[in-house]
Structures are given as structure tokens and as C-alpha cells.
Amino acid sequence: MIATAELTDPTVRAFVAAVNKHDRNAFDALLAPGATMSDDGSDRDLAEWTDREIFTTRGHMDVVQEADSGRSLVVDYRNDTWGSMRTRWEFTIDGGKVARFETGQA
């Protein structure tokens, strides 16, 4: 596992920390205006998805691997709905904010 504090990209590091602390305010502050996301290749409503998959289900990210200057992660992700699964996360960062992230099973 890679400790959150050791992740290369500061915005991605803050994203992972916000998810793991279940800090919705910190998470929302990291998003660029109009930020988007996809799950397993399908675009989703970001607010609805994060509420369902992260915040109301106690989502948690254990980073296994990073690439692309820290903007591409392999994560053991778990929440109260789905349990644990290996996932990939790809981030587009713009001005220190997450403009888009794409996730799905790895």
C-alpha cells in the first residue's frame, strides 16, 4: 500500500484524504466547477454517485499503485454496499482542482 501522504499529485492526495476521512466539505472544495466523472465507462451524476458510493456508504481508498505523475491510481476500494474491490482511478486536474475522474473495476 502507498500511504496517502506519499501520493505524488497534491490534488489527488487531498482527494484520497477527503474520501477516507468522509469529509464532504473538503471533497467538494477539490472539485472544479462543472466537474464530471464516470464509473465503468458510463458518465454518472457526480453528486449523486459520490453520495451513494462514498459518503453514505463509508467509502475508503487504499492505494496500491500510482502512475502518470500520481494521476492514475490502482486502489483497493471498499464501502458498506459493495465490500472491497480492486479499482482504477484516473484524474484530470485543472488549476489544482479535479475537473474529471474516471473509476471502474481494475
Side-chain angles (χ1 to χ4, degrees):
M1 297 294 165
I2 301 171
T4 302
E6 296 176 5
L7 294 172
T8 303
D9 186 278
T11 303
V12 173
R13 181 173 48 234
F15 181 100
V16 172
V19 168
N20 289 349
K21 292 177 183 176
H22 309 112
D23 187 340
R24 188 183 305 255
N25 291 332
F27 182 89
D28 289 344
L30 290 167
L31 300 177
T36 61
M37 61 88 52
S38 72
D39 182 10
D40 282 328
S42 297
D43 281 358
R44 308 285 186 189
D45 179 278
L46 190 146
E48 180 183 301
W49 188 92
T50 56
D51 185 59
R52 184 182 66 247
E53 300 293 337
I54 296 174
F55 294 108
T56 62
T57 57
R58 299 174 14 97
H60 187 87
M61 302 174 79
D62 288 322
V63 179
V64 176
Q65 180 181 1
E66 70 172 349
D68 191 25
S69 300
R71 294 185 178 180
S72 177
L73 305 178
V74 174
V75 172
D76 286 337
Y77 186 79
R78 68 181 182 274
N79 67 24
D80 291 344
T81 300
W82 305 109
S84 184
M85 68 184 82
R86 177 84 27 119
T87 57
R88 59 169 175 69
W89 297 71
E90 306 287 334
F91 295 88
T92 302
I93 308 298
D94 185 14
K97 301 281 187 177
V98 176
R100 179 172 177 83
F101 68 90
E102 299 178 11
T103 188
Q105 293 191 42

